[in-house]
Amino acid sequence: MMDFIVKSGLPEKQRSACIVVGIFQSRKLTAVAERIDAASDGHLSNILRRGDMEGAISQSLLLYNVPGTLADRILLIGCGKERELDDNAYRKIIQQTVTRLKNTSVTEAVCYLSELNIKGRDMHWKVRQAVEVTADMTYQFDQLKSTKTKNKRSLRKFILTVPSRRDLTKAEKATLEGSAIATGVDLAKTLGNLPGNICTPSYLADQAKSMAKKNRAMKVEILEEADMKKLGMGALLSVSQGSRQAAKLITLDYRGGAKTAKPIVLVGKGITFDSGGISLKPGGKMDEMKYDMCGAAAVMGAMAAVSMLNLPVNVVAIVPASENLPDGLASKPGDIVTSMSGQTIEILNTDAEGRLVLCDALSYAEKFDPAVVIDVATLTGAVIVALGRHANGLLSNHPPLVNDLNNASKITGDRVWELPLWDEYQDQLKSNFADMANIGGREGGTITAACFLSRFTKKYHWAHLDIAGTAWKSGEAKGATGRPVPLLVQYILGRSGKKKS
Ligand code: BES
Ligand code: MN
Ligand code: ZN
């Protein structure tokens, strides 16, 4: 991971391989650029006058040997119209900076963009975001290539500046938070990108074990299929019975808060490969169903961040991990199973397996006497139909929790959009032979999936995030996004700030 450092100091005095400075549209110098311009006898404004850079976002210009300065290079970054500089523009500006720096040979840079004014955002937010975006942009997954990407000379140290020494403490805290979140995102991406033949349920269990070794406040528990059978987890086990990989029910229990404080419980769908089972999926893009454990990866990533920051909260992560494959022993459409809750389920489609593993994990969550339970799952293709790939579906039985998640979402940029859980939708889950069917028809697919889960979450405050549209990218940029780890960590940070649970 990159080294992130904060400091304060005048741009013209920085001895660095590169300093990064913003230019607004049209050719308007930022305060920092003004200083360099003054120190260099108008060098910057002279260059801008020649028209090479208007200052639009995505524009940049690399200058060498600027007079009156001590840096080898000055990278000018377009910041767009000053009045339009918002969260998204800031993220794009940092992205552009990192893209440009990756194309140079600099190993270290001093970035003044954290001194830009952004509507409603303080230094802490700007520094943390810069750290998160930079780490995101420099992630590489090449562990399974026989020749690794050469990075002998690549950015290793990213220095962010603050206007005054008084801001340093706050900014340092922001880099720590940003680095912890970035580490969690990194873990989530890597678990997601690993193929199904490597990242199996037992692989996830081993990862959880090694996470627990790193922090005395974190315990791990792995339930085997025999344990799950004793608990009556017939729904979860019906999914793994068609696979040669044994299912695992993984629990990470982090106790950093008061003994009496009820934990936040995170539940992540951990289907390490979803073929659909006997209700087999079509072949195109089926490889992407290795990403069907991205909910698990996100909650594990969030735990990694919580653990790194030693947050004074209690958080439990539960991961029901299994493959979903067709086999002689696999469940068949029409099979009826009994869940841990005692409710019976008619499996009309074996491809609706996520809710089957989640429902038993959600019943299991009761034993932790949770303050809230948030499940995170690549649950339905329908959420992509409803919201595209820009937002997570959010469904909940507790409006204040929706409110808290909405607030956290605004800070991290992981968008959430609430969908209703009205009783009328519940009717779609009627079964002639069991308490419920595991599918509710084509209409409102994300909602009926959540309705199914809601029948197992009556005893606590609960929210469900359907991340099927946001957890990974398809096409040329195929890869896990590591989201919504930042949202989960932000939500937890918000709660660890509060006195009572
Ligand atoms: N893991 C899939 C959901 C999914 C599909 C996520 C495509 C991202 C892209 C889930 O297990 C599934 O197969 N859901 C079915 C439900 C249906 C059978 C009711 C779906 O969405 O088609
Ligand atoms: Mn499925
Ligand atoms: Zn699935």
Side-chain angles (χ1 to χ4, degrees):
M1 173 81 57
M2 175 120 34
D3 238 348
F4 294 100
I5 293 168
V6 285
K7 72 172 177 188
S8 78
L10 301 174
E12 67 274 21
K13 297 270 167 60
Q14 296 300 325
R15 274 181 207 287
S16 164
C18 187
I19 70 176
V20 184
V21 180
I23 303 292
F24 291 121
Q25 207 163 345
S26 300
R27 304 184 207 172
K28 185 177 182 294
L29 302 180
T30 56
V32 175
E34 292 268 16
R35 277 207 71 97
I36 296 178
D37 199 45
S40 64
D41 221 2
H43 191 81
L44 293 195
S45 37
N46 270 329
I47 285 178
L48 290 175
R49 216 172 290 126
R50 291 184 216 163
D52 287 18
M53 183 180 184
E54 278 299 304
I57 289 180
S58 88
Q59 280 189 317
S60 62
L61 196 60
L62 187 60
L63 307 176
Y64 292 87
N65 305 324
V66 175
T69 67
L70 300 176
D72 299 341
R73 303 167 187 76
I74 294 183
L75 176 59
L76 302 183
I77 292 287
C79 296
K81 300 219 174 77
E82 188 169 7
R83 282 182 39 223
E84 292 169 11
L85 184 48
D86 59 7
D87 294 8
N88 274 332
Y90 180 71
R91 290 190 190 102
K92 281 191 199 142
I93 290 164
I94 303 291
Q95 280 170 357
Q96 178 63 17
T97 302
V98 180
T99 306
R100 197 61 210 265
L101 288 173
K102 281 205 282 189
N103 286 330
T104 68
S105 63
V106 305
T107 56
E108 153 270 340
V110 182
C111 175
Y112 278 85
L113 299 172
S114 39
E115 298 190 21
L116 292 166
N117 285 317
I118 296 151
K119 271 175 261 165
R121 295 303 181 195
D122 59 5
M123 185 54 62
H124 179 272
W125 185 90
K126 288 187 283 185
V127 169
R128 200 181 94 185
Q129 277 301 305
V131 169
E132 288 180 37
V133 171
T134 304
D136 187 57
M137 297 282 296
T138 47
Y139 173 83
Q140 273 179 345
F141 183 77
D142 57 7
Q143 53 177 277
L144 299 174
K145 301 223 188 212
S146 56
T147 44
K148 312 283 178 242
T149 325
K150 285 205 187 68
N151 47 3
K152 262 185 225 143
R153 286 192 73 77
S154 66
L155 195 59
R156 271 195 285 272
K157 195 160 136 190
F158 201 58
I159 300 157
L160 292 156
T161 66
V162 294
S164 127
R165 292 180 161 278
R166 269 173 294 136
D167 302 317
L168 280 174
T169 322
K170 206 175 170 190
E172 263 151 26
K173 188 164 176 254
T175 57
L176 289 180
E177 273 182 24
S179 304
I181 292 170
T183 303
V185 167
D186 212 90
L187 174 67
K189 282 182 183 173
T190 296
L191 291 176
N193 287 332
L194 283 168
N197 63 328
I198 295 177
C199 185
T200 56
S202 54
Y203 184 92
L204 287 178
D206 290 344
Q207 288 290 308
K209 284 183 203 156
S210 65
M211 279 173 66
K213 274 202 194 110
K214 290 184 195 148
N215 193 322
R216 288 177 51 200
M218 179 117 71
K219 301 270 180 295
V220 65
E221 179 195 55
I222 313 290
L223 294 192
E224 305 295 335
E225 290 190 342
D227 306 316
M228 293 185 246
K229 197 163 179 196
K230 276 185 208 136
L231 290 168
M233 296 185 166
L236 196 165
L237 290 169
S238 78
V239 177
S240 66
Q241 74 190 38
S243 157
R244 302 191 185 187
Q245 295 287 339
K248 307 277 170 180
L249 185 67
I250 304 162
T251 303
L252 280 167
D253 190 340
Y254 171 84
R255 301 282 160 167
K259 269 215 176 82
T260 53
K262 295 181 175 188
I264 297 166
V265 176
L266 307 174
V267 178
K269 174 178 173 183
I271 298 295
T272 59
F273 189 78
D274 179 14
S275 71
I278 296 298
S279 313
L280 194 65
K281 286 182 182 295
K285 283 198 187 178
M286 207 210 268
D287 65 292
E288 294 188 11
M289 281 298 115
K290 71 174 181 178
Y291 290 119
D292 212 17
M293 36 56 70
C294 282
V299 307
M300 288 172 73
M303 290 306 266
V306 166
S307 164
M308 260 182 92
L309 292 169
N310 285 308
L311 292 183
V313 277
N314 298 332
V315 192
V316 175
I318 302 174
V319 169
S322 173
E323 292 183 326
N324 184 25
L325 290 176
D327 173 84
L329 288 174
S331 20
K332 308 165 289 298
D335 284 2
I336 295 178
V337 297
T338 304
S339 66
M340 181 180 176
S341 72
Q343 299 176 93
T344 59
I345 303 162
E346 185 184 14
I347 302 173
L348 288 177
N349 189 321
T350 64
D351 199 8
E353 85 298 339
R355 59 199 81 180
L356 295 175
V357 298
L358 286 170
C359 72
D360 281 338
L362 288 166
S363 297
Y364 186 69
E366 283 173 19
K367 82 169 204 174
F368 296 98
D369 188 19
V372 299
V373 177
I374 302 170
D375 81 75
V376 188
T378 50
L379 201 62
T380 64
V383 79
I384 309 174
V385 177
L387 302 174
R389 295 187 188 272
H390 307 292
N392 302 297
L394 167 61
L395 300 102
S396 171
N397 64 11
H398 190 56
L401 177 53
V402 172
N403 198 47
D404 288 349
L405 287 168
N406 265 318
N407 288 337
S409 151
K410 281 181 191 123
I411 294 170
T412 68
D414 286 300
R415 285 202 269 227
V416 295
W417 196 258
E418 192 183 6
L419 296 170
L421 270 180
W422 296 319
D423 281 344
E424 286 80 352
Y425 292 101
Q426 295 281 357
D427 296 341
Q428 289 177 237
L429 294 173
K430 276 195 177 132
S431 158
N432 284 357
F433 309 109
D435 297 342
M436 69 193 90
N438 78 328
I439 52 169
R442 272 177 46 82
E443 298 171 3
T446 302
I447 298 173
T448 53
C451 282
F452 181 95
L453 299 179
S454 76
R455 297 172 179 217
F456 301 84
T457 61
K458 293 208 173 0
K459 300 205 173 128
Y460 46 70
H461 300 322
W462 159 74
H464 161 63
L465 290 168
D466 194 330
I467 62 166
T470 60
W472 75 92
K473 289 183 190 149
S474 306
E476 223 185 316
K478 196 194 287 180
T481 60
R483 309 214 74 106
V485 169
L487 170 70
L488 297 174
V489 178
Q490 182 60 43
Y491 171 78
I492 295 166
L493 280 167
R495 282 197 70 102
S496 72
K498 287 181 197 166
K499 295 248 162 57
K500 274 249 161 154
S501 66

